[in-house]
Amino acid sequence: MLYAILAYHVEAEVKSWSAEEDAAVMTGLREVHQRLKGKLGPAARLGDTRNASTLRGPGHGMVIDGPFSETKEQLLGFYVIDCADEAEAIAAARDLRSVNPSAVYEIRALKLYIPGAPFPETAGPRDA
């Protein structure tokens, strides 16, 4: 089953890290990535939230500057991981957090979208 692990963090804190501090976190995350080899799909660090846009509203919608997060943390990155079940996905998120302890990780079941291909089914314990 596919799961998305969404990485939330206080953006100002991450941006305040020195190059050495950032490199140390990234080195630790790469080590976790190696442990997840064969299960880990795409992972990315997102661009600055100040450059984000939000599309909302009826019809064609309206584009609004910024992500307008309701929390102090912003979505700064994500992982796509193939796990047997939610418990395994949570364990992977705990492994990631062990080297980036101030991050918040949200784990969500995921349906992969490839144009022209059917969605693979992802059912978690709460979906049953």
Side-chain angles (χ1 to χ4, degrees), residues 64-121:
I64 303 167
D65 290 340
F68 295 100
S69 177
E70 295 296 325
T71 65
K72 67 179 183 173
E73 297 93 6
Q74 292 82 35
L75 177 62
L76 298 186
F78 64 89
Y79 299 86
V80 175
I81 189 164
D82 187 7
C83 295
D85 54 28
E86 184 181 38
E88 186 179 357
I90 290 169
R94 283 191 171 124
D95 202 10
L96 291 165
R97 194 165 190 275
S98 72
V99 297
N100 192 5
S102 59
V104 175
Y105 292 98
E106 178 181 346
I107 297 93
R108 298 182 57 177
L110 179 68
K111 288 189 174 188
L112 181 63
Y113 174 69
I114 301 172
F119 284 115
E121 288 301 315

Side-chain angles (χ1 to χ4, degrees), residues 27-58:
T27 296
L29 290 173
R30 278 191 292 280
E31 290 170 3
V32 174
H33 298 173
Q34 285 300 310
R35 290 194 293 271
L36 296 172
K37 196 170 186 166
K39 294 181 177 290
L40 184 64
R45 180 182 268 186
L46 300 175
D48 292 353
T49 57
R50 73 172 184 266
N51 297 327
S53 297
T54 301
L55 176 65
R56 65 177 69 211

